Amino acid sequence: MNKKLLTGALAAMAFLLPSTAAGQTADFNIIPRPQQVNVSNDAPFTLNAKTVISLGTNNQDMKRNANMLASYIEQTTGIRPAVGKSKNGAAIVLTIDKTIANAEGYKLDADAKQIRIAGASAAGVFYGIQTLRKSLPLVNGKASKVSIPAVHIADAPRFAYRGTHLDVSRHFVTADSVRQFIDMLALHNINRFHWHLTDDQGWRIEIKKYPLLTQIGSKRAQTVIGHNSGKYDGKPYSGSTPRNRFATSSSMPQTAILPSFLRLTCPATCRLLSPLTRTWAAPAVLTRCGRSGACLTTCSAPATTRPLHSLTMC
């Protein structure tokens, strides 16, 4: 075989092999790239079974952050750090630093002894965690240790509102897929999730008081082909999320410190936006009803910490 061809084939195979064969070193060349990344030649931090995640600021939001980080590390490497106090000083320390100006800003510093993630708020710490998460090598959960280069990272978002819209009215999406989608948003530093649950193409959320909304409203006889073509596929279509599954899905943004806005459209112009978060407040959102007469009054959805079952519709 041609020597150059063989060399190229071996190089390609090495590239495709899991990190267990190619090395277990974190890489901070990630997306989105932090504003400042300074990697040094100093001794790296070694992530292993003895690593502990400790809290410099101890509250419920930070505890959730710590537990999420432990889960992220386990999913990627197979190593599950304990959450608590470190006995030998080798730890990932999560803390609040009020000197950071941007509410979602953070700093990540790693040396041989510690990884320190400091945020202006729990949200800032969360985005620092996502940066560490993305840097970890993909080793199929089989790493015994991972080397984290000595690094200083300082980052803050350029835009305060970074949102993504998911329309499950026209095309139904299961609760499990929604949870996975929200996790992908968090991974990419998206901080608003707009969940379009209803429209004239289908009502997707179970309302106990109005069972016909899903029994009838979640179904349609057929779907238009293309855009306003007047042609239909002739295939019945349906789908809705039971109340208990919906509540589980909408708890994900709270865990991920990702505010969720629900869009409930009374066919087809009255919209209700409600923040579902315990940790962030959102400004009041005023919506107006269209000429269809579906809604008789103007609806408003101020910032709220109420659970889903207590929200009312216009």
Side-chain angles (χ1 to χ4, degrees):
M1 179 183 289
N2 184 287
K3 187 175 182 180
K4 290 184 178 180
L5 182 60
L6 177 60
T7 302
L10 291 174
M13 290 174 63
F15 179 78
L16 294 172
L17 285 174
S19 295
T20 47
Q24 301 172 2
T25 302
D27 184 354
F28 289 100
N29 187 24
I30 60 174
I31 298 174
R33 183 171 176 80
Q35 290 183 5
Q36 182 181 352
V37 180
N38 297 324
V39 179
S40 75
N41 293 322
D42 294 341
F45 179 88
T46 300
L47 173 67
N48 55 35
K50 296 181 180 179
T51 300
V52 174
I53 300 172
S54 65
L55 295 173
T57 304
N58 195 353
N59 57 44
Q60 289 301 314
D61 295 334
M62 294 293 283
K63 287 179 180 178
R64 281 200 296 269
N65 276 339
N67 288 324
M68 278 190 293
L69 176 56
S71 295
Y72 291 148
I73 293 173
E74 183 179 29
Q75 290 168 9
T76 305
T77 68
I79 301 168
R80 175 82 186 195
V83 177
K85 294 183 179 180
S86 175
K87 296 180 180 179
N88 59 8
I92 303 173
V93 181
L94 309 180
T95 189
I96 300 295
D97 182 354
K98 294 296 185 181
T99 66
I100 299 174
N102 191 300
E104 295 178 301
Y106 68 90
K107 295 178 182 178
L108 189 156
D109 291 279
D111 56 32
K113 295 182 179 180
Q114 288 185 337
I115 296 176
R116 298 174 296 280
I117 301 176
S121 64
V125 173
F126 176 76
Y127 292 118
I129 287 172
Q130 297 305 316
T131 292
L132 178 60
R133 174 190 182 188
K134 284 178 281 193
S135 77
L136 296 175
L138 297 176
V139 292
N140 301 323
K142 297 178 181 179
S144 58
K145 61 181 180 179
V146 175
S147 179
I148 313 290
V151 67
H152 168 72
I153 296 174
D155 193 22
R158 180 181 176 189
F159 300 105
Y161 193 107
R162 307 178 303 282
T164 298
H165 171 267
L166 180 64
D167 186 343
V168 301
S169 174
R170 290 162 179 83
H171 302 284
F172 179 64
V173 179
T174 65
D176 288 338
S177 294
V178 170
R179 279 195 294 274
Q180 185 177 15
F181 181 71
I182 291 172
D183 188 52
M184 291 170 62
L185 299 185
L187 180 66
H188 291 86
N189 298 0
I190 300 298
N191 71 347
R192 292 293 189 277
F193 173 46
H194 183 165
W195 201 355
H196 189 149
L197 283 162
T198 71
D199 216 308
D200 49 339
Q201 287 86 356
W203 185 283
R204 304 301 178 203
I205 173 177
E206 178 189 23
I207 305 295
K208 293 289 188 182
K209 190 175 180 180
Y210 304 104
L212 294 183
L213 286 174
T214 47
Q215 291 176 17
I216 296 176
S218 68
K219 303 173 183 178
R220 61 176 183 258
Q222 53 191 348
T223 302
V224 67
I225 298 173
H227 181 68
N228 295 333
S229 65
K231 298 179 181 179
Y232 295 85
D233 61 8
K235 299 176 182 178
Y237 191 94
S238 65
S240 62
T241 300
R243 187 186 185 89
N244 61 340
R245 297 287 290 160
F246 179 87
T248 304
S249 295
S250 55
S251 69
M252 176 73 181
Q254 297 174 15
T255 304
I257 315 181
L258 181 72
S260 176
F261 292 95
L262 302 185
R263 176 175 169 177
L264 304 182
T265 306
C266 308
T269 55
C270 183
R271 303 168 185 172
L272 176 64
L273 299 175
S274 297
L276 289 180
T277 175
R278 296 171 183 162
T279 56
W280 289 20
V285 178
L286 185 64
T287 63
R288 294 186 177 182
C289 303
R291 298 177 181 176
S292 65
C295 299
L296 302 179
T297 60
T298 299
C299 317
S300 62
T304 179
T305 57
R306 291 178 297 164
L308 176 67
H309 66 265
S310 69
L311 296 176
T312 56
M313 296 173 51
C314 58

